Amino acid sequence: MLSTVENVSSILVFTLTQLDETMENKYMLFSLTALCYHFILLCNITVIVCIASDKRLHEPMYIFLCNLCINALYGTAGFYPKFMYDLLSQIPVISYSGCMIQIFVIYSSVLCDYSILTVMAYDRYVAICRPLEYHSEMTNIKIGTCILFCWLAPLFSMGILVLLTSRLTLCGSDIGKLYCENWAVVKLACYTTTVNNVIGYIVIIIYLGHVVLITVSYIHLIGKCRKSIEDRYRFMQTCMPHLLALFNVTVALLFDVLYSRYGSTSFSQSVRNFLALEFLFIPPILNPIIYGLKLTKIRKKVMGIFSSNNAVA
């Protein structure tokens, strides 16, 4: 029995079993996925170029937005190329190391979204509730510190989770998702996974705490903005996109986490696949579009870029 466990625990390749039903329409799905991925690249790169190329947009809010778009490119790069490759493969598999890397990239990107949205909420709080202190508060050093926090904390958190998962002895190689997910690998463990469970819940609670911080800051903002028509306009212009982005990523992530741990198989596989992909599909498209439409400076810059390109053509 021991030798059997040792043999199955030396997993070199995982099979992504949730792709089975999609293989009937794989070429159509490949085309739609490629179109979606290129649209994500276009939207986010456009916003990044707009902000990077215009010194008038080198303000904290736009710098944080630029990081949000960079993070979208980082996270989707961990899923879309591999997913499109799997659609054209006979058997969708991923190497053990590739699986760990995919887990790290996808979920550190999601956590990074929360960190960036948190510092964006802080920026809006200072700008609206303490406008006279804004420039002395949001210094270059403070902005740099916030950006480091946005990236290093998620990378560190997911690094710990992936390290704990990589130490597990596994008794299976089938992952019931379209991509590698941490809990899906943990469930394959031969023995107890209490430490992984506890650390996983700690990370979830910490980042749900980010949502609480954002909510508290917006309660203060709403109270402040009720007193002034100008403040109400600023809230609708800069804070509503932020709230939509937060709601979108929170609902998507909560479904993914809770369904992975407690979900029922009564849902059809197609529905489960769509819901599992929601946070890899909707936020990377929705965020740059929402901010691009709502933020006047971004909108004008984008229109200027495309109008100049049309004039040249």
Side-chain angles (χ1 to χ4, degrees):
M1 178 63 185
L2 180 60
S3 61
T4 303
V5 172
E6 287 176 349
N7 287 335
V8 297
S9 66
S10 301
I11 303 296
L12 298 178
V13 173
F14 292 104
T15 303
L16 304 171
T17 60
Q18 286 290 78
L19 269 170
D20 292 343
E21 284 189 11
T22 63
M23 286 306 182
E24 295 178 5
N25 304 308
K26 64 179 182 178
Y27 294 114
M28 182 182 72
L29 187 56
F30 175 86
S31 300
L32 292 174
T33 302
L35 181 64
C36 173
Y37 186 44
H38 282 88
F39 188 63
I40 288 172
L41 294 177
L42 174 65
C43 292
N44 286 279
I45 290 174
T46 299
V47 173
I48 292 168
V49 170
C50 286
I51 295 171
S53 62
D54 192 337
K55 291 185 178 180
R56 293 172 298 175
L57 298 179
H58 294 178
E59 300 174 10
M61 178 176 65
Y62 298 108
I63 292 172
F64 296 142
L65 173 58
C66 185
N67 276 267
L68 193 67
C69 292
I70 291 171
N71 183 55
L73 298 179
Y74 163 67
T76 53
F79 169 73
Y80 281 93
K82 177 63 172 68
F83 181 62
M84 289 188 288
Y85 176 81
D86 288 339
L87 288 172
L88 300 181
S89 303
Q90 293 297 321
I91 302 176
V93 297
I94 186 169
S95 67
Y96 184 92
S97 58
C99 184
M100 295 298 110
I101 292 171
Q102 190 173 61
I103 291 171
F104 179 81
V105 171
I106 290 176
Y107 286 94
S108 63
S109 173
V110 176
L111 298 185
C112 193
D113 263 350
Y114 276 104
S115 296
I116 295 171
L117 291 172
T118 301
V119 298
M120 289 175 79
Y122 173 72
D123 173 71
R124 291 300 85 203
Y125 170 78
V126 176
I128 296 175
C129 295
R130 295 154 52 191
L132 298 179
E133 303 173 30
Y134 182 73
H135 292 291
S136 60
E137 181 73 18
M138 298 303 295
T139 62
N140 290 335
I141 295 176
K142 176 68 73 67
I143 294 168
T145 302
C146 288
I147 292 172
L148 284 176
F149 161 76
C150 290
W151 287 97
L152 295 183
L155 295 176
F156 177 74
S157 299
M158 281 312 303
I160 292 175
L161 289 175
V162 169
L163 179 62
L164 290 172
T165 300
S166 67
R167 298 176 64 210
L168 294 175
T169 301
L170 304 181
C171 287
S173 60
D174 289 346
I175 295 177
K177 298 200 74 166
L178 297 171
Y179 53 88
C180 277
E181 186 255 335
N182 190 57
W183 188 247
V185 176
V186 171
K187 288 193 291 188
L188 299 174
C190 303
Y191 309 111
T192 180
T193 58
T194 303
V195 174
N196 296 71
N197 231 345
V198 170
I199 299 298
Y201 276 119
I202 289 173
V203 172
I204 291 170
I205 290 169
I206 288 172
Y207 281 90
L208 287 179
H210 286 43
V211 179
V212 174
L213 287 174
I214 295 171
T215 303
V216 170
S217 71
Y218 273 93
I219 290 172
H220 285 286
L221 281 174
I222 291 170
K224 171 71 175 178
C225 293
R226 290 172 59 188
K227 303 174 184 178
S228 165
I229 294 176
E230 181 182 351
D231 285 341
R232 284 202 297 269
Y233 174 78
R234 291 175 70 189
F235 181 87
M236 294 299 295
Q237 188 77 6
T238 63
C239 299
M240 284 306 295
H242 184 249
L243 286 175
L244 288 172
L246 176 66
F247 176 78
N248 185 34
V249 72
T250 300
V251 170
L253 183 62
L254 279 177
F255 176 85
D256 183 71
V257 171
L258 294 177
Y259 187 83
S260 295
R261 292 172 179 258
Y262 311 111
S264 168
T265 56
S266 58
F267 287 108
S268 71
Q269 190 178 61
S270 298
V271 172
R272 296 202 305 270
N273 287 347
F274 173 77
L275 293 174
L277 292 179
E278 202 272 347
F279 74 94
L280 290 164
F281 173 68
I282 303 297
I285 292 178
L286 195 63
N287 290 346
I289 290 178
I290 289 176
Y291 282 104
L293 291 175
K294 289 294 291 181
L295 298 181
T296 305
K297 290 183 180 180
I298 295 287
R299 185 171 66 249
K300 288 181 177 178
K301 181 66 177 178
V302 171
M303 292 174 64
I305 289 175
F306 283 103
S307 62
S308 63
N309 287 341
N310 289 334
V312 171

